[in-house]
Amino acid sequence: MNLFQVRKGQFVYYNNELHKVYSVKAMFKKSVHLYRLKDMQQVLSKASDIQLYRPKHLDSFIFYGKRYTIDQSKRPEAGDYILIVKPAPDFLDHYSLNEIEKVDNVEDGNVVTTRDNGVKHSEYVLLVPGKSDGSHDIAYLDKNLVSTTQEADDEALGNMPASETEMKPVVGDIYMDIQGKTKAMIVAMTESEVLFGHGLKVHVTELIDEDKFTLVYRLEEDL
């Protein structure tokens, strides 16, 4: 489905691979800023070069080197990831279409994420690690165009060292937390999450969201 109006958060195909829109800059020729979901590689594109995709139950895709399957019938537990497909945030919550957030706690199907967002059960679907039985691979628009070598490499992205991935946050980097209105340093990391000095823990992919974070200082630039 070709797009006439591009919206932040939409899942789209670009160059046969699944991407997500993270920003739209109407004044530029290539106004659509995307990142490729499998490895967070950033791309500039035009609306005419992308095709919309709406994720659904049992769709499976690679997110930052790991494969997940959408399951709208299962309930999440603390530590699970959810995909917000029908965002209706309350006044104090900050999330939008197709955001992926980690569950902190669950009550009657409603969740509170590690970003202190309260998300109702009608707004999200669960991301189950791995490829579930009966799932539909949406990592590529046309899988026939993907070589067996590329497919194997993509499935192994989670094993790549941090130095080979597109996003390279390190302990010591400083970001402006837009929603928290404070500058904060990364004080600890896992392979997929960062912990800031003011206590906020987020998935590393959130660091490219211009509505959430702005890079202030990168330690590696001084090394």
Side-chain angles (χ1 to χ4, degrees):
M1 181 186 300
N2 292 324
L3 286 171
F4 296 99
Q5 279 193 322
V6 183
R7 178 184 173 192
K8 178 183 175 181
Q10 287 174 323
F11 277 14
V12 298
Y13 285 107
Y14 174 79
N15 283 349
N16 201 48
E17 295 188 293
L18 191 64
H19 289 66
K20 180 180 172 182
V21 178
Y22 73 88
S23 181
V24 180
K25 307 288 187 180
M27 67 288 295
F28 297 109
K29 183 176 181 180
K30 290 189 174 182
S31 61
V32 186
H33 295 207
L34 313 172
Y35 59 75
R36 191 165 59 183
L37 281 166
K38 72 178 185 182
D39 59 3
M40 311 314 294
Q41 183 180 79
Q42 299 179 45
V43 178
L44 296 177
S45 178
K46 299 181 293 184
S48 58
D49 294 333
I50 58 180
Q51 295 186 53
L52 175 67
Y53 185 81
R54 294 188 176 93
K56 58 184 182 298
H57 180 57
L58 289 182
D59 279 347
S60 177
F61 61 94
I62 302 169
F63 171 60
Y64 197 61
K66 294 184 179 181
R67 182 170 286 278
Y68 295 88
T69 300
I70 295 173
D71 195 321
Q72 64 186 27
S73 61
K74 290 184 178 179
R75 291 290 181 93
E77 298 179 356
D80 288 340
Y81 284 101
I82 58 171
L83 176 69
I84 301 174
V85 292
K86 297 179 180 179
D90 292 331
F91 178 72
L92 295 177
D93 294 319
H94 301 278
Y95 57 85
S96 56
L97 179 66
N98 288 333
E99 290 202 25
I100 296 173
E101 295 212 10
K102 190 174 185 178
V103 176
D104 183 65
N105 61 78
V106 186
E107 184 175 346
D108 295 329
N110 303 316
V111 306
V112 176
T113 72
T114 54
R115 287 192 60 84
D116 289 328
N117 285 318
V119 186
K120 296 179 286 295
H121 64 86
S122 59
E123 298 179 77
Y124 70 83
V125 290
L126 178 64
L127 293 181
V128 178
K131 186 180 291 187
S132 302
D133 292 340
S135 62
H136 171 235
D137 189 356
I138 63 168
Y140 319 101
L141 177 61
D142 185 351
K143 200 167 184 177
N144 293 322
L145 301 178
V146 182
S147 68
T148 55
T149 300
Q150 179 188 338
E151 188 176 354
D153 288 345
D154 289 348
E155 295 292 345
L157 278 171
N159 299 322
M160 292 174 59
S163 60
E164 296 183 22
T165 57
E166 176 70 13
M167 295 186 63
K168 304 172 185 176
V170 298
V171 172
D173 287 353
I174 299 174
Y175 285 80
M176 171 63 74
D177 177 357
I178 304 299
Q179 295 168 6
K181 299 180 180 178
T182 185
K183 291 181 182 178
M185 178 185 290
I186 296 176
V187 297
M189 291 185 61
T190 67
E191 64 177 10
S192 61
E193 294 180 320
V194 299
L195 175 65
F196 285 104
H198 63 319
L200 182 65
K201 181 187 290 185
V202 301
H203 198 281
V204 293
T205 58
E206 294 193 46
L207 299 181
I208 66 171
D209 191 327
E210 298 171 333
D211 292 334
K212 294 180 180 178
F213 296 99
T214 301
L215 180 64
V216 175
Y217 167 80
R218 187 176 293 281
L219 181 66
E220 287 188 341
E221 292 179 354
D222 289 342
L223 297 179

